[in-house]
Amino acid sequence: MKRNLKKLITSLFFATLTLMFCVASETGAFSFVEGCKAFSKGDWENSVFMLKKAVAYKEYETPDAYYMLITAEVELNDNKTALDDCEFFLKQFPDSIYKSRVTYLKGKILFNLKEYEKAIVVLSDFCHQNEDDDMYSYALFYIAESLYENYQYDEAQVIYERIVQDFSESPKAPLSQFRVESILQREREEKLLYLLKQTGEEYLAAKEDYERQLKMYNSDAVLSSREKLIETQQHNIELNERVSDLEKQIAMLQAQLAREQEKQNSVLNQNVENLDNDEVSGEDIPSMEPYDEKKERVKALKQKAKEVQSLMDKEN
């Protein structure tokens, strides 16, 4: 009797396990199918929800499910979760056909998270191994953008120019061209600002020397010597001429800088208009805000130029 009861309990136990496995299997299958349906419709929230339930079951922990899950998470801007899933994918499925795309997505996610150094490493590895991939020009672009954000403008310019030259049909070509023009514009402005700064300092030094010589000219010590007086007068004439020349240089540099800035604004507006007409996903195009990281320094130089101009006006 006890033996029969034991057999019955054992049978019920295994029957229960079998039933639980079947229910779990059906739940996993349902979640996977519903996740795929939501993914195909672009319903990213439901897709992530159902696919996460699906991959909780071993039989649905597959490269396909995880690739869709990562893509949906990226679409939802859930970058940190997507990055974790990318790393899991690359470790768990190193031979998957999706490996190259997941590697690209990992690099782009790192860029979105402002991990620029890491993004450069991952995207460079992608480019090295996938030269014929459709996303190659995109990867190059985000490498250049990472360098740009790290103020490595010369290195970034080389890559932008390569995109424009070798991948002219890429959706990233117009923005790359804009970046090249912005970098060149920045170089011109930097040179003008440097010249303006140097000329302004030279003007102030010459003015101080001029005023010092005037004081010496009015002193009794100088007046006691006619030869020294004549020499000082001649020197003051030369200083006055020098100051006049510097005033002209400053005015010319200020006008040139204004023209360059007007030109940059024109280029910016034109490129924004062109980019608006491109059939490119807005999410995939980062901000086009041009070189504002040195705004404070530029502002300070312009303020100094105004002070110099004010001094010039007082002299006149």
Side-chain angles (χ1 to χ4, degrees), residues 32 49 84 175 282:
F32 180 74
F49 178 74
D84 291 339
L175 185 51

Side-chain angles (χ1 to χ4, degrees), residues 222-240:
V222 174
L223 290 174
S224 64
S225 172
R226 183 173 180 78
E227 291 182 0
K228 189 66 175 178
L229 176 61
I230 294 173
E231 180 183 343
T232 301
Q233 287 177 327
Q234 181 61 36
H235 184 63
N236 285 342
I237 291 171
E238 293 174 357
L239 280 174
N240 197 22

Side-chain angles (χ1 to χ4, degrees), residues 70 124 154 165 180 191 314:
I70 291 168
S124 296
D154 291 341
Q165 181 177 347
V180 171
K191 290 177 181 178
K314 289 179 181 179

Side-chain angles (χ1 to χ4, degrees), residues 70-287:
I70 291 168
T71 303
E73 288 168 341
V74 170
E75 293 289 345
L76 290 174
N77 293 319
D78 188 1
N79 290 309
K80 291 185 178 179
T81 304
L83 180 60
D84 291 339
D85 286 337
C86 283
E87 291 175 348
F88 174 83
F89 183 101
L90 294 171
K91 182 178 180 180
Q92 194 73 11
F93 313 112
D95 299 321
S96 169
I97 59 173
Y98 302 114
K99 179 184 177 182
S100 62
R101 293 304 172 91
V102 172
T103 301
Y104 165 77
L105 285 174
K106 180 181 177 181
K108 183 185 174 186
I109 291 166
L110 287 167
F111 174 82
N112 292 341
L113 292 172
K114 300 184 179 181
E115 297 279 356
Y116 301 124
E117 294 292 342
K118 293 180 181 178
I120 291 170
V121 172
V122 173
L123 292 170
S124 296
D125 184 58
F126 169 85
C127 289
H128 180 69
Q129 298 181 23
N130 303 279
E131 293 186 4
D132 298 325
D133 196 283
D134 292 339
M135 304 305 294
Y136 187 83
S137 65
Y138 288 74
L140 282 178
F141 177 79
Y142 286 112
I143 291 173
E145 288 288 275
S146 297
L147 292 167
Y148 179 97
E149 293 294 338
N150 275 345
Y151 314 122
Q152 296 172 259
Y153 301 120
D154 291 341
E155 294 91 331
Q157 181 180 347
V158 172
I159 299 177
Y160 287 132
E161 288 175 343
R162 183 185 173 191
I163 294 170
V164 173
Q165 181 177 347
D166 296 344
F167 303 96
S168 58
E169 300 301 318
S170 170
K172 296 303 181 187
L175 185 51
S176 295
Q177 180 62 46
F178 168 70
R179 290 295 199 211
V180 171
E181 292 170 359
S182 295
I183 291 172
L184 294 175
Q185 180 70 16
R186 172 185 169 276
E187 290 176 355
R188 290 192 292 269
E189 284 195 8
E190 285 290 307
K191 290 177 181 178
L192 284 173
L193 288 168
Y194 175 77
L195 287 173
L196 182 59
K197 178 176 179 290
Q198 293 296 106
T199 305
E201 291 176 352
E202 188 177 353
Y203 170 81
L204 292 174
K207 187 175 183 300
E208 290 175 0
D209 193 14
Y210 177 70
E211 291 174 348
R212 186 169 56 252
Q213 293 295 334
L214 282 177
K215 290 179 180 178
M216 291 176 62
Y217 171 78
N218 292 323
S219 68
D220 293 337
V222 174
L223 290 174
S224 64
S225 172
R226 183 173 180 78
E227 291 182 0
K228 189 66 175 178
L229 176 61
I230 294 173
E231 180 183 343
T232 301
Q233 287 177 327
Q234 181 61 36
H235 184 63
N236 285 342
I237 291 171
E238 293 174 357
L239 280 174
N240 197 22
E241 292 175 351
R242 184 182 175 194
V243 168
S244 178
D245 289 341
L246 288 171
E247 287 174 346
K248 292 177 182 178
Q249 289 183 43
I250 289 173
M252 182 182 65
L253 287 170
Q254 287 176 325
Q256 189 174 355
L257 180 58
R259 288 195 298 272
E260 290 290 341
Q261 290 174 332
E262 183 179 353
K263 180 180 177 182
Q264 183 183 19
N265 291 334
S266 175
V267 170
L268 173 61
N269 293 333
Q270 182 63 42
N271 278 279
V272 169
E273 181 179 346
N274 292 339
L275 287 169
D276 286 341
N277 294 329
D278 286 340
E279 295 182 0
V280 184
S281 170
E283 171 212 335
D284 205 34
I285 299 180
S287 170

Side-chain angles (χ1 to χ4, degrees), residues 61-72:
E61 190 180 83
T62 64
D64 303 84
Y66 264 98
Y67 179 70
M68 287 189 291
L69 176 60
I70 291 168
T71 303

